[in-house]
Amino acid sequence: MTASQPAAGYGDVGLLSPVSASPLVAALTGDRAVLGAILAVEAGWAAVLEKHDLAPAGSAAVVAHAADASRYDAADIARRGQGGGNPVIPLLADLRAQVKALDTEGMGALRAVHTSLTSQDVLDTALMLLARNTVGALLADVKGTTAALARLAEQHAETLCVGRSLTQHSLPFTFGLRSAQWFSGLAAAARRLDALELPVQTGGAAGTLAAGTVLTAGSSTDPFGLADDLAAQLGLAAAAAPWHTNRLAVTSLGDALAGVVDALGKIAADILFLSRPEVAEVGEPRVPGRGVSSAMPQKQNPVLSVLVRSAALQAPGLAAQLHLAAATFNDERPDGAWHTEWPALRQLLALALGAAGHVRELAEGLQVFPDAMRRNLDLSGPLLLSEGVSVAVAPLLSVDEAGADGKQQLQAVVDRTLQAPAGEQAATYRRLLRETVPADKLSGQELDSLLDPASYLGQAGAISRRIVAAFPDYARPSTQPERNGASRG
């Protein structure tokens, strides 16, 4: 392709970002969506101006007609955007040409286009609009996921598995509690995202509303009223003041998105481990042709979790980029820092939406294998209960001849047990406990109870129930249809 040839067919369609390569993500975050959001802002502003008699009657309809994204060549606008440093300037020129052509009655509809705004006003507001639309779809997928996780928490409240700490077996656990903890992280992050306010921007050339003040002189409104009306028109939040160089709205959005991706990444990381053949406690939902290897026919790769993990590894850096930009927004309008926000924020939106869809499919179709969980739990045998044994039994023991108290004596039992071959450790631990603790202080039945994993779950069930109860809106089934690979691909 030469510099003079069109870019059609050379655009980014996600070949190197499969986690977000879907029609839904493209429709909500792609270049066409950005173009549509910019045009929606311009059309919304025209409607506000006409409402307050600051533009000719009927001009808003002309601008709205002209603000059809299909009328514009995104690749050409992107190329011409190099001339002004942002896409609003060339798009605005094309929009004005369209409005002029459509204003067949000569009403002066051009007066409704962009009056008193600056390019940063339009692009900042457009990105908030893009984010609102994307976040709406993202939260729908998240609620589908959390509803599925809440069901898993209930269904597997008593399904024993092994808890792991620093890669090692720690204590008896339940798969219900593991599912509830996945639910907790995701629901809390989603609630934070859902609570964000995404504001409009209408500060004018230097954030003083100077042009808006002139525009509204003698009218029944002022620049603040116009801004509030634009917020209502677009379904965004009103802003108390222009925020050209105060980027908390952007960094807060980035942090909230990264938090959601963190929670999704945690789920994926656990499933990647739990689905290893030597663990085999869960499996991803099967779809013909997915998870295959180019070289090994027998492999079934956990590709959904792999893709989500790829998003989780990228998202923190993108959020950090937003903070780096915010910290270097110099003067009243910045040079360069603002420009680095756009791709970082858009990529973060795309990754979050793509990952959310994959985790929803994971949660709704996760294969759970309780027998494998019990098998892995039994690998550590009764040693897994040594903490509970120590808590219950140590007070029953007197100081021995060597001066060791009850806790030290029980630690010695564990140490001696670990010296035995792995296949003999369960019997060795039980025998040494029996030798150490007099029968009149601990009966055989009491010892059996102490060495039953189901007897040492603490408040696992109550914790799961409290977690789910804390997020009732996220525990209910989503009204959105279930996702599958075909519908998103």
Side-chain angles (χ1 to χ4, degrees):
M1 185 181 74
T2 66
S4 61
Q5 288 177 314
Y10 292 84
D12 183 358
V13 294
L15 284 177
L16 300 183
S17 185
V19 66
S20 55
S22 83
L24 177 65
V25 175
L28 291 173
T29 68
D31 281 345
R32 184 63 57 183
V34 173
L35 207 62
I38 295 171
L39 291 165
V41 174
E42 293 288 0
W45 186 246
V48 169
L49 294 183
E50 183 177 327
K51 172 185 174 182
H52 292 283
D53 298 323
L54 298 173
S59 57
V62 175
V63 176
H65 189 192
D68 177 352
S70 65
R71 293 175 173 270
Y72 302 90
D73 183 341
D76 180 61
I77 290 168
R79 179 184 57 78
R80 290 157 55 210
Q82 297 178 51
N86 71 71
V88 175
I89 295 172
L91 177 56
L92 188 57
D94 293 352
L95 175 62
R96 284 178 168 140
Q98 289 283 340
V99 169
K100 183 177 180 181
L102 292 170
D103 185 9
T104 57
E105 298 182 9
M107 68 179 68
L110 281 173
R111 289 168 53 192
V113 178
H114 201 72
T115 302
S116 81
L117 297 179
T118 192
S119 55
Q120 187 173 350
D121 294 334
V122 175
L123 194 49
D124 278 352
T125 304
L127 289 175
M128 293 295 105
L129 190 57
L130 189 84
R132 185 206 64 190
N133 295 338
T134 304
V135 167
L138 167 62
L139 291 175
D141 271 341
V142 164
K143 288 187 175 182
T145 300
T146 53
L149 294 176
R151 290 193 298 272
L152 288 172
E154 181 179 6
Q155 292 165 1
H156 294 280
E158 298 181 2
T159 300
L160 290 175
C161 63
V162 64
R164 298 174 176 90
S165 173
L166 280 76
T167 76
Q168 304 300 297
H169 286 196
S170 56
L171 293 176
F173 210 72
T174 69
F175 189 68
L177 180 54
R178 180 168 290 143
S179 300
Q181 291 290 8
W182 290 342
F183 170 97
S184 177
L186 185 54
R191 179 182 284 179
R192 176 188 176 202
L193 177 61
D194 196 21
L196 283 182
E197 291 192 339
L198 303 175
V200 295
Q201 174 84 277
T202 59
T208 63
L209 297 169
T213 301
V214 174
L215 175 67
T216 57
S219 75
S220 59
T221 189
D222 59 22
F224 302 107
L226 296 181
D228 291 348
D229 283 351
L230 180 62
Q233 178 81 16
L234 297 176
L236 296 175
W243 46 279
H244 286 156
T245 54
N246 176 0
R247 308 308 287 180
L248 188 60
V250 177
T251 55
S252 296
L253 173 58
D255 290 344
L257 289 166
V260 169
V261 180
D262 290 345
L264 298 171
K266 159 61 178 170
I267 296 170
D270 280 351
I271 292 175
L272 283 168
F273 172 76
L274 295 173
S275 63
R276 287 173 178 262
E278 61 270 26
V279 181
E281 295 183 8
V282 302
E284 290 197 352
R286 293 292 185 95
V287 173
R290 187 170 65 198
V292 297
S293 166
S294 65
M296 293 167 281
Q298 85 284 1
K299 286 191 71 181
Q300 184 66 41
N301 295 320
V303 68
L304 293 178
S305 299
V306 168
L307 293 179
V308 173
R309 180 164 167 77
S310 78
L313 292 171
Q314 295 175 73
L318 295 167
Q321 177 60 57
L322 297 177
H323 282 283
L324 178 61
T328 54
F329 260 57
N330 59 318
D331 302 326
E332 281 62 56
R333 295 273 304 284
D335 53 359
W338 178 50
H339 301 69
T340 67
E341 278 185 350
W342 317 335
L345 179 58
R346 182 168 67 164
Q347 180 68 358
L348 194 47
L349 286 165
L351 287 174
L353 180 57
H358 294 312
V359 174
R360 180 176 183 178
E361 185 181 353
L362 270 174
E364 290 177 338
L366 189 68
Q367 301 177 82
V368 180
F369 306 120
D371 290 346
M373 292 179 183
R374 183 64 197 226
R375 179 200 68 214
N376 293 331
L377 175 67
D378 290 342
L379 288 175
S380 291
L383 277 176
L384 203 65
L385 285 302
S386 61
E387 179 193 62
V389 169
S390 181
V391 171
V393 176
L396 305 178
L397 299 177
S398 301
V399 175
D400 65 12
E401 295 179 356
D405 61 18
K407 186 173 182 179
Q408 291 169 326
Q409 292 174 54
L410 293 172
Q411 181 62 55
V413 167
V414 171
D415 293 342
R416 290 174 62 189
T417 300
L418 290 172
Q419 294 173 14
E424 300 176 12
Q425 287 182 357
T428 300
Y429 184 56
R430 183 181 290 272
R431 175 178 59 79
L432 292 175
L433 280 176
R434 193 70 283 172
E435 293 174 358
T436 304
V437 186
D440 63 337
K441 293 186 177 181
L442 185 71
S443 70
Q445 185 176 0
E446 288 171 328
L447 179 58
D448 288 342
S449 178
L450 283 176
L451 298 182
D452 178 3
S455 71
Y456 199 62
L457 292 172
Q459 299 295 321
I463 294 169
S464 295
R465 291 189 295 273
R466 286 171 65 88
I467 285 173
V468 174
F471 300 93
D473 291 346
Y474 289 88
R476 291 192 289 268
S478 173
T479 58
Q480 299 294 318
E482 290 189 3
R483 297 287 188 189
N484 59 61
S487 67
R488 296 188 68 88

